[in-house]
Amino acid sequence: MAENISFFQRINEYFDKAAKFTDYPQGLLEQIKICNSSCHFTFPIKRDDGTIQTIHGWRAEHSHHKLPTKGGIRYSMLVNEDEIMALAALMTYKCALVDLPYGGAKGGIKLNRKDYSESELERITRRYTYELIQKNYIGPGIDVPAPDYGTGENEMSWILDTYLSMSPDKLDAIACVTGKPIEQNGIKGRKEATGRGVVFGLEEACSFEDDMKQVGLQPGLRGKTVVIQGFGKVGYPASKYLNEAEAKVIGIAEADGAIYSPKGLDIESISAYRDETGSIRNFPDATFIENPNDILEMECDILVPAALENQITAENAPRIKARIIAEAANGPTTTKAHEILKKRGAMIIPDTFLNAGGVTVSYFEWLRNLSHVGFGRLGRRYEESAYNAMVHFIEQATGYQFSDDERQTVHGADETDLVNSGLQDTMINAYQEIRETRFKYGRDIVDSRTAAYINAIHTIAQSYMQLGIFP
Ligand code: GLU
């Protein structure tokens, strides 16, 4: 275990540090911190070769202060009860911080998906869902899973189908899981939402001149060099949008090696190369680095851990040179590493904020499912004709003729536009609130992580008080 405390203990340490800045009764703070319920279940599956194997799965619902609870399901060999409880707790704080009406949850199955065929994964996922249904750990108003490390749209559609088959008469059953394929009541933009949220969050965090001055950088993302660990569901879209924002992604690390090019990496070519060869190893046009951890220590402005927890530790933190650590993964930095980086004057943009884009767009998907109508369906054409009429009046009044390009910008908002603007708004507001809290207590005293926890604690405490539990 990293630095002798468990992952969940680490999250609780962060919590305790922040709780000192509030004056809520100790009992209430304990209630917020504790994991409300968790479940470990085992079940057998028949492998393709006929052998029987026992599968271990978990689901933890960290906080019931708001229902449903929300959080992904991961497939990884690191899954255990402590990890799932820690990740569920992070979901609670994340949802509170970005103002989503959910308690936090997380689930997982201990397996390496590369060891299983597609049909084995389907059987495992369906059986896991069946266990969740039996134990009342899934439902549109109970607990709503989503993708996480090692899972994606396929798993979500198996979960949906299993749930639907067992609740044929429930009108809202399609809202039992998010991150579904578009054709199965998913929402546009969910797949890339975490990566997009990371870039919206970074844009906002890098926009303040005095904050950037403190880390010796210019405001804005333009020209900033970036190293990303992980080129999956989060790292790949994040690197694409970072390049679009004119930052320069110079290094990418995957589990089996890293690639580096000081002149900047072509993200689409790397993605195509990885699809073809199964790996980023030996991508032409870049230097290949055998040990992926080495690249975390490269000279760069922004380091984006976008893979798993406990990647930046007391061991490697002293050698990390990045000015900004952008926590796209959940829990990538250990407590000791956090202190080392802080002492060196680096800016840490915390996970509870920075990777909240995924669950934010999950929220939009859930709302869409509950309302049974796509965003933009009612208003888009009306908006568009109102804008067109306005353009026409301006042309008549001024004699100016808009070009075709200028006219292109006049259109009613469709689902993608609304999802992206809702996500951007969420990220900007949450960051500004974090910043306000830092200024309130003194920016040298309260860092962004602590401020994020303080804000989350306030939100959760308020909703407990609204429930009348702690008058
Ligand atoms: N697994 C993602 C996370 O860690 C998304 C969870 C969700 O959409 O519910 O935030």
Side-chain angles (χ1 to χ4, degrees):
M1 208 56 73
E3 276 131 58
N4 298 327
I5 60 166
S6 80
F7 189 9
F8 191 32
Q9 279 169 333
R10 164 150 71 86
I11 303 304
N12 287 337
E13 268 190 10
Y14 287 141
F15 179 97
D16 290 340
K17 199 169 151 196
K20 293 207 179 82
F21 292 92
T22 73
D23 50 13
Y24 295 112
Q26 197 50 39
L28 174 54
L29 292 169
E30 277 305 313
Q31 170 60 27
I32 296 174
K33 199 165 79 167
I34 204 162
C35 182
N36 288 172
S37 71
S38 92
C39 184
H40 172 203
F41 39 91
T42 55
F43 52 85
I45 66 135
K46 199 180 219 170
R47 303 283 314 249
D48 291 344
D49 64 7
T51 56
I52 309 280
Q53 194 184 334
T54 302
I55 300 289
H56 290 257
W58 287 262
R59 183 78 181 168
E61 293 174 353
H62 172 260
S63 181
H64 292 144
H65 73 287
K66 283 219 160 114
L67 288 173
T69 52
K70 187 89 191 77
I73 291 177
R74 64 170 53 187
Y75 289 179
S76 131
M77 286 307 285
L78 289 180
V79 168
N80 60 41
E81 189 180 28
D82 182 82
E83 187 206 38
I84 294 301
M85 290 201 303
L87 292 166
L90 279 172
M91 288 308 301
T92 297
Y93 305 132
K94 198 187 301 188
C95 291
L97 183 65
V98 296
D99 196 22
L100 304 180
Y102 297 131
K106 193 71 112 196
I109 301 182
K110 185 176 173 152
L111 61 78
N112 179 354
R113 60 173 301 134
K114 291 200 179 105
D115 296 341
Y116 295 85
S117 70
E118 189 78 354
S119 75
E120 287 173 335
L121 287 171
E122 177 170 352
R123 290 202 293 282
I124 293 168
T125 307
R126 286 183 182 278
R127 176 63 194 258
Y128 176 85
T129 310
Y130 179 78
E131 298 290 334
L132 293 180
I133 297 168
Q134 290 303 310
K135 294 171 174 68
N136 214 20
Y137 271 84
I138 185 170
I142 300 169
D143 186 354
V144 182
D148 198 86
Y149 186 90
T151 60
E153 286 186 341
N154 281 354
E155 285 72 21
M156 302 309 117
S157 67
W158 296 325
I159 292 173
L160 173 69
D161 187 57
T162 310
Y163 188 84
L164 286 178
S165 69
M166 294 183 67
S167 42
D169 204 29
K170 269 198 203 160
L171 182 63
D172 290 333
I174 51 168
C176 73
V177 60
T178 59
K180 302 180 288 287
I182 306 285
E183 317 74 57
Q184 283 179 45
N185 297 291
I187 196 166
K188 289 188 183 132
R190 172 62 186 86
K191 220 164 144 180
E192 50 280 10
T194 310
R196 204 182 267 279
V198 166
V199 180
F200 283 145
L202 262 169
E203 255 168 352
E204 185 60 17
C206 293
S207 69
F208 298 94
E209 200 167 341
D210 47 340
D211 293 0
M212 286 298 99
K213 212 165 165 188
Q214 285 203 326
V215 287
L217 296 172
Q218 294 292 323
L221 282 181
R222 176 180 292 177
K224 290 202 169 41
T225 52
V226 185
V227 168
I228 299 200
Q229 182 198 38
F231 196 57
K233 282 199 306 288
V234 181
Y236 162 58
S239 37
K240 197 168 80 178
Y241 300 130
L242 277 164
N243 274 355
E244 274 173 24
E246 294 183 57
K248 192 159 76 168
V249 177
I250 56 168
I252 296 176
E254 279 267 85
D256 60 347
I259 51 176
Y260 174 75
S261 167
K263 62 181 196 324
L265 292 164
D266 177 351
I267 303 305
E268 288 312 329
S269 312
I270 298 167
S271 166
Y273 178 87
R274 201 249 320 255
D275 288 349
E276 205 182 296
T277 65
S279 162
I280 61 168
R281 282 182 82 91
N282 301 319
F283 172 73
D285 281 349
T287 310
F288 180 69
I289 299 167
E290 193 68 48
N291 180 356
N293 292 332
D294 289 351
I295 205 165
L296 307 186
E297 298 162 21
M298 290 273 190
E299 199 71 60
C300 66
D301 297 324
I302 307 175
L303 175 63
V304 186
L308 284 165
E309 59 267 24
N310 299 334
Q311 299 301 302
I312 305 176
T313 62
E315 196 280 314
N316 63 0
R319 298 188 301 279
I320 286 176
K321 300 177 193 70
R323 306 301 305 150
I324 300 173
I325 314 296
E327 294 186 340
N330 288 309
T333 315
T334 66
T335 324
K336 279 194 186 147
H338 175 107
E339 289 310 319
I340 294 168
L341 293 166
K342 221 172 99 178
K343 238 179 235 139
R344 214 204 54 219
M347 174 182 189
I348 301 170
I349 309 178
D351 49 1
T352 41
F353 160 69
L354 198 66
N355 70 38
V359 69
T360 300
V361 178
S362 275
Y363 171 53
F364 301 153
E365 179 177 333
W366 181 75
L367 290 177
R368 182 193 202 279
N369 294 158
L370 293 178
S371 66
H372 300 269
V373 61
F375 292 121
R377 176 159 178 186
L378 296 184
R380 197 189 65 78
R381 193 166 292 272
Y382 180 81
E383 252 175 44
E384 194 160 303
S385 42
Y387 292 148
N388 274 326
M390 213 156 12
V391 165
H392 178 71
F393 294 138
I394 294 169
E395 281 182 338
Q396 278 200 329
T398 61
Y400 178 80
Q401 279 295 116
F402 286 98
S403 67
D404 283 350
D405 274 357
E406 284 167 333
R407 274 176 188 280
Q408 286 274 307
T409 58
V410 175
H411 68 277
D414 61 20
E415 187 164 278
T416 311
D417 297 323
L418 292 169
V419 163
N420 287 340
S421 82
L423 174 58
Q424 186 173 21
D425 193 56
T426 302
M427 297 308 288
I428 290 175
N429 288 343
Y431 193 75
Q432 288 179 353
E433 283 165 15
I434 290 174
R435 220 166 159 263
E436 274 163 30
T437 300
R438 289 193 65 194
F439 278 99
K440 181 172 164 199
Y441 295 102
R443 327 209 224 183
D444 298 330
I445 300 167
V446 166
D447 57 35
S448 293
R449 191 188 312 281
T450 308
Y453 274 84
I454 294 174
N455 290 359
I457 292 171
H458 281 309
T459 306
I460 302 164
Q462 294 306 321
S463 64
Y464 269 117
M465 288 178 176
Q466 276 160 20
L467 291 174
I469 295 174
F470 297 93

